[in-house]
Amino acid sequence: MSSEARAESPNSPETAGPTDELISKKTTRRRFIQGAGVAAATAASAGPATAQSTRDKAWTEGRSGLDFSSDFVPNAYNEEDGLTRAKHRMKWGATLEALEFYEDDSGNKARLPGYVPTKSSTPEHDTDNVVTVRADKFDFPDGYNFPRGETYDGDGDGESDEDVYALDATHWSTTDASTGTVSVTDADLDVSKALNVASSSLADGETVSATFTDVSVSDDVEKSYFQGVINVNSVGSNALVKIALRDDDGDEKILTVDPSGDASTAKVITTGAGNGIVFQQRIGDLATDGSGDGTFDSIEEVEIRISASGGASDADVTLTAFNAEKPAKWVFGSYLKNEGTDSEERVKRERPGPGTFTMTSLDTMSDELKDDSAVIYDVEQPMRYTMQESDHPFEFRFLEASDYPGYDYRLQIRGKQSVPTGYDLTHTALSWFDQVTAPASRYVEVWTATGTEDVDFADIDDTSKTAHAGNYDSRGAEVTLKSSASAGNVNTFFADILLTSSNKSDAESSGGGGGGAPPSAKGGNGILSVIAAIFGGLGITGLLARLSG
């Protein structure tokens, strides 16, 4: 253990500072002695009765009055690297703070008692790329509102008053082969609209197709992007899937799922199975195929063809987003590449997938994905649940430290905390921690007790307490209170910490329950606390109050 990490005493070199020069500027030697005398007299007048009364001092309920950003106020926390929230409604916001919201079992918006730790806010974390998502889990209007302005009579009342969506199976027709068939169905996924197209019994040389004709787009089509999100559920080695945009005389722009293709080329979406594969190509940049006049100038049909060549083969694909009218790409957030190195750079996610990917924040996504009506399903993130944010009982009190020469007060805290449970929350590898933010020698007592939801603080039996003070031996260290914690269990944390007068001022808050700073981001105690630690060893810490007015 380094000298910096060892337990500190009020007279240790670590707490010492340039006090002689400071004192010479603020007071004469005579005033210094007078101040010391006042402090000693005050201490002597306290007597046994005062010490007894402080030991019996009542507890203050609630967190108001404590500054949890202080090094002298413990803020124990449960933490997990992989909390999955079943959904994130973008109307909750796109900031890191918005990731604290979830939908409870009553369908109401609720907040997790903590925050999302990042490398920037919590140095012991190794990344700022904390949000993990998958593209086929994005449900956003720009992903399913194609084509725009087309309506139909959906209920048979003679009025065409329902919007047409290319991702609705009802608008597609199919063409089978001699042996092979094709089906078009509405896929049952988290997103509101998803179209499944699958072939069956496709023989060598056969092609089946599904066609959508309820579309007519003619304005600047070559400037628009041929974009979407596809799940390739399966694709045989001899199968080829073509997604084609066709104009009024047969010209086509084609993207493919091709096991024999080159994924680095513009026309190939992917060469194999996978979920959440994003494709985005400007229509004008794609080669023109088909049987027309060679000029692609409108979109009148969309066709999905599955063919087999070199042997029988089938394919099964699902579109979870589709658009061909937008002159801009979707941006699925951005991440830090080569994080923590000299070559670190921020990179946009324009063609993520297959599978999950990370971003630093939902805020980095393009506006279409942040629409208030958009929903992202299965959002994974780290989460730290703190004592400061817990909604369970919490109490504290300041006692005189009459039995501890060199110190003026003892801060005692006792609080309960738990990790919420719910249908929309999936927890992974929870652990319970605290950080040694004060000098090691300040921790008089630290204990925890589990399963204390219905037990008053005063009624917690000594046999159920687990002592931890011996582990608070290195300032800055993380102490494991419970390596395998369980969501829903209510546990109690108690700490008794020695303070100087300056430390007490640092720990107190005139309003609210502190600034909400991550424990590892807690600041120092200032020059007065350094002086207080030195003078504390002489029993004259009261002098500081006189020096500081």
Side-chain angles (χ1 to χ4, degrees):
M1 185 186 305
S2 67
S3 60
E4 289 79 12
R6 291 193 182 96
E8 298 180 36
S9 68
N11 301 312
S12 68
E14 184 173 339
T15 57
T19 55
D20 291 340
E21 179 183 357
L22 195 67
I23 292 169
S24 68
K25 291 180 178 180
K26 287 187 174 287
T27 184
T28 64
R29 181 174 181 271
R30 178 174 297 175
R31 289 184 63 191
F32 178 88
I33 295 174
Q34 288 175 342
V38 171
T42 301
S45 65
T50 301
Q52 178 64 40
S53 65
T54 58
R55 281 194 293 269
D56 297 334
K57 183 178 179 181
W59 294 84
T60 298
E61 295 183 1
R63 293 157 177 79
S64 180
L66 285 184
D67 183 355
F68 279 86
S69 67
S70 166
D71 286 352
F72 297 96
V73 179
N75 196 8
Y77 52 91
N78 289 279
E79 186 163 295
E80 58 186 328
D81 289 333
L83 166 70
T84 299
R85 294 178 300 128
K87 65 178 70 71
H88 180 90
R89 299 189 182 278
M90 291 309 302
K91 65 181 180 181
W92 297 341
T95 64
L96 286 175
E97 289 75 17
L99 297 178
E100 298 164 11
F101 296 116
Y102 71 102
E103 195 168 278
D104 66 18
D105 291 351
S106 298
N108 299 317
K109 176 184 175 183
R111 181 180 174 275
L112 296 166
Y115 65 95
V116 177
T118 67
K119 183 178 180 180
S120 298
S121 69
T122 315
E124 65 267 22
H125 280 260
D126 60 2
T127 183
D128 281 322
N129 301 322
V130 293
V131 184
T132 301
V133 289
R134 206 173 77 188
D136 60 311
K137 301 289 187 174
F138 283 69
D139 194 357
F140 59 108
D142 204 55
Y144 56 74
N145 276 339
F146 174 84
R148 289 162 179 78
E150 298 288 340
T151 58
Y152 78 109
D153 180 10
D155 55 12
D157 64 356
E159 299 289 336
S160 294
D161 52 5
E162 295 186 34
D163 291 329
V164 171
Y165 298 106
L167 294 183
D168 281 345
T170 188
H171 303 297
W172 291 73
S173 60
T174 60
T175 302
D176 294 333
S178 297
T179 61
T181 61
V182 63
S183 64
V184 180
T185 58
D186 294 318
D188 184 15
L189 301 178
D190 291 325
V191 295
S192 57
K193 295 187 180 299
L195 183 79
N196 177 258
V197 180
S199 68
S200 177
S201 304
L202 201 59
D204 184 18
E206 288 189 332
T207 298
V208 293
S209 62
T211 307
F212 172 79
T213 60
D214 294 327
V215 56
S216 183
V217 179
S218 58
D219 293 338
D220 295 326
V221 291
E222 293 211 340
K223 296 179 181 179
S224 297
Y225 279 85
F226 188 172
Q227 59 193 167
V229 180
I230 190 170
N231 290 349
V232 180
N233 305 311
S234 63
V235 56
S237 59
N238 295 316
L240 173 65
V241 180
K242 291 183 178 180
I243 306 175
L245 305 178
R246 183 183 297 129
D247 70 7
D248 56 359
D249 64 359
D251 293 303
E252 292 184 337
K253 299 288 186 176
I254 297 173
L255 295 177
T256 67
V257 175
D258 185 358
S260 301
D262 181 356
S264 66
T265 59
K267 68 181 297 183
V268 178
I269 298 172
T270 185
T271 60
N275 292 321
I277 304 168
V278 177
F279 57 91
Q280 303 194 82
Q281 295 292 342
R282 192 181 294 274
I283 292 173
D285 294 340
L286 293 170
T288 300
D289 297 308
S291 58
D293 61 6
T295 300
F296 187 86
D297 51 16
S298 67
I299 303 173
E300 305 298 333
E301 293 183 2
V302 180
E303 190 166 81
I304 300 175
R305 300 190 289 266
I306 304 175
S307 59
S309 178
S313 229
D314 285 303
D316 183 326
V317 299
T318 301
L319 289 168
T320 61
F322 188 82
N323 200 346
E325 295 180 275
K326 183 179 179 60
K329 291 181 178 180
W330 298 320
V331 178
F332 289 81
S334 66
Y335 73 105
L336 294 178
K337 183 180 179 181
N338 302 320
E339 194 174 10
T341 69
D342 292 339
S343 57
E344 178 178 295
E345 61 177 326
R346 182 168 289 278
V347 179
K348 293 179 180 180
R349 300 279 194 186
E350 294 180 340
R351 288 192 60 186
T356 60
F357 57 93
T358 61
M359 66 179 82
T360 55
S361 170
L362 299 179
D363 243 347
T364 63
M365 301 187 304
S366 57
D367 289 343
E368 302 81 15
L369 303 182
K370 293 186 289 187
D371 187 275
D372 276 352
S373 63
V375 181
I376 307 175
Y377 294 93
D378 294 337
V379 178
E380 184 179 337
Q381 65 201 53
M383 194 69 200
R384 177 174 286 193
Y385 310 87
T386 63
M387 180 65 75
Q388 176 185 0
E389 300 295 334
S390 172
D391 55 5
H392 291 287
F394 180 91
E395 299 177 349
F396 70 94
R397 63 183 179 181
F398 291 99
L399 306 179
E400 290 188 8
S402 54
D403 295 333
Y404 296 87
Y407 298 103
D408 302 298
Y409 296 96
R410 292 163 60 185
L411 168 63
Q412 292 185 340
I413 70 166
R414 57 189 188 186
K416 296 182 180 182
Q417 60 188 141
S418 68
V419 174
T421 60
Y423 288 112
D424 276 12
L425 300 175
T426 302
H427 299 285
T428 304
L430 272 167
S431 296
W432 193 18
F433 301 103
D434 190 25
Q435 287 188 346
V436 186
T437 54
S441 61
R442 302 296 189 92
Y443 294 89
V444 177
E445 185 179 11
V446 180
W447 56 259
T448 59
T450 59
T452 57
E453 181 175 10
D454 299 321
V455 183
D456 292 338
F457 288 122
D459 295 333
I460 297 176
D461 191 88
D462 288 344
T463 60
S464 65
K465 299 175 182 177
T466 301
H468 300 279
N471 297 324
Y472 285 67
D473 57 0
S474 177
R475 195 173 192 179
E478 187 174 65
V479 177
T480 301
L481 303 175
K482 189 173 179 61
S483 60
S484 181
S486 298
N489 285 354
V490 178
N491 303 321
T492 295
F493 175 88
F494 172 89
D496 186 350
I497 300 175
L498 296 172
L499 307 177
T500 64
S501 294
S502 178
N503 299 155
K504 181 175 181 289
S505 297
D506 186 57
E508 291 176 317
S509 172
S510 58
S520 58
K522 293 180 178 181
N525 309 310
I527 188 65
L528 286 181
S529 64
V530 175
I531 300 172
I534 297 174
F535 290 160
L538 303 176
I540 52 175
T541 53
L543 174 62
L544 280 183
R546 297 171 63 85
L547 292 177
S548 60

